[in-house]
Amino acid sequence: PLRDNWLANMVPSEKMGRYLSFRSVIAGSFFLAAYVFMGFTLYRSTTNIGRGFAIVLGIAFLASLISTFLYSNIHSPAPAAKSETAPSLSFVNFLKGAMKEHLGTFILFASLFNFAVNLSGPLFMVYMHNNLNFNFMMLTLVFSCVYVGRVLSMTFWGKMVDKSGSLRVLGIVTHLMPLVPLMWLFSGNIIYLCGVQLFLGVVQAAFDLSCQTFIYKSTQPEQRLHYIV
């Protein structure tokens, strides 16, 4: 939340969608490369899976150290002057008035939508491993397609958000995302599932970007951190 609030206060509002999309493309590309490498490592370490996980976790630890070093070299700009008339905001007060304002309704909508998505999310891996008998490399291929879809579509969605607005884009993709779990019912073919995951990556990129930019743009600087949290 602190990082998101810091970014929202620095990036110009009219360029927020494009900036966040560029950042997501870079992060997604690195994540995709790491994901494929880790999956290949586990696949090649089938006879000694403990060694494979040790390599994966060791690289993750090293990457975290590098990330910490990079953050230590980022210097915060001068803090903006705080408004003396800014109303206080607590979690209880937010819940009481959530349905009386558009921003509160939006946050409740996004929370319930993410709850529904994450309720089934962990089960896809179990289904492919136990029921479809996919090995580590096949699992990696299917799940990496999500990030391929995100990387390929994110800059397009960034331009759309800046041009048409977050809510307009969100209104489109929220009608498409519920189709994803239904599409898993029709086939266990790996090529078909890769196509489903590509579609998921495209609509998921738009959903995440729209939610993020809407919160950044529709909140006052002195209350933005509270709403992000």
Side-chain angles (χ1 to χ4, degrees):
L2 291 172
R3 182 191 61 186
D4 289 350
N5 183 58
W6 176 67
L7 284 173
N9 289 331
M10 289 199 305
V11 180
S13 178
E14 68 275 7
K15 297 181 180 180
M16 185 69 72
R18 279 168 288 180
Y19 168 78
L20 292 176
S21 67
F22 293 156
R23 190 185 73 163
S24 296
V25 167
I26 296 171
S29 298
F30 273 88
F31 189 91
L32 180 60
Y35 200 82
V36 172
F37 174 76
M38 301 305 185
F40 179 76
T41 300
L42 293 178
Y43 174 72
R44 296 290 294 177
S45 305
T46 305
T47 56
N48 190 350
I49 198 65
R51 182 180 64 182
F53 277 106
I55 293 173
V56 168
L57 296 176
I59 293 175
F61 176 72
L62 179 62
S64 296
L65 289 180
I66 296 173
S67 179
T68 302
F69 171 76
L70 292 174
Y71 266 113
S72 68
N73 285 277
I74 297 175
H75 302 288
S76 179
K82 293 184 178 180
S83 172
E84 297 181 357
T85 59
S88 60
L89 177 68
S90 68
F91 187 62
V92 175
N93 290 338
F94 164 75
L95 291 179
K96 288 181 179 179
M99 298 303 293
K100 298 178 182 179
E101 57 178 28
H102 294 298
L103 186 58
T105 304
F106 167 79
I107 292 177
L108 290 177
F109 152 75
S111 300
L112 291 172
F113 202 94
N114 278 304
F115 174 79
V117 171
N118 290 310
L119 190 65
S120 61
L123 303 178
F124 290 106
M125 181 73 76
V126 178
Y127 167 67
M128 286 188 288
H129 185 269
N130 293 353
N131 295 74
L132 301 182
N133 298 315
F134 284 4
N135 58 39
F136 279 119
M137 209 59 213
M138 296 168 74
L139 291 172
T140 300
L141 176 62
V142 173
F143 277 98
S144 64
C145 287
V146 176
Y147 296 95
V148 172
R150 290 178 68 95
V151 168
L152 293 179
S153 64
M154 188 62 82
T155 53
F156 168 78
W157 291 124
K159 294 177 182 177
M160 287 294 295
V161 165
D162 286 338
K163 181 180 179 180
S164 304
S166 304
L167 291 184
R168 186 176 180 84
V169 174
L170 198 61
I172 297 172
V173 297
T174 47
H175 289 84
L176 298 176
M177 286 188 71
L179 297 177
V180 174
L182 295 177
M183 294 166 71
W184 276 77
L185 298 175
F186 299 113
S187 175
N189 179 271
I190 188 170
I191 303 300
Y192 171 79
L193 293 180
C194 284
V196 174
Q197 293 295 85
L198 280 170
F199 174 74
L200 172 61
V202 172
V203 295
Q204 196 178 65
F207 181 85
D208 292 344
L209 184 64
S210 299
C211 289
Q212 197 173 22
T213 53
F214 184 77
I215 292 291
Y216 290 176
K217 291 183 178 183
S218 59
T219 52
Q220 297 298 320
E222 58 269 14
Q223 289 191 338
R224 185 174 291 130
L225 180 59
H226 293 282
Y227 277 107
I228 293 174
V229 172

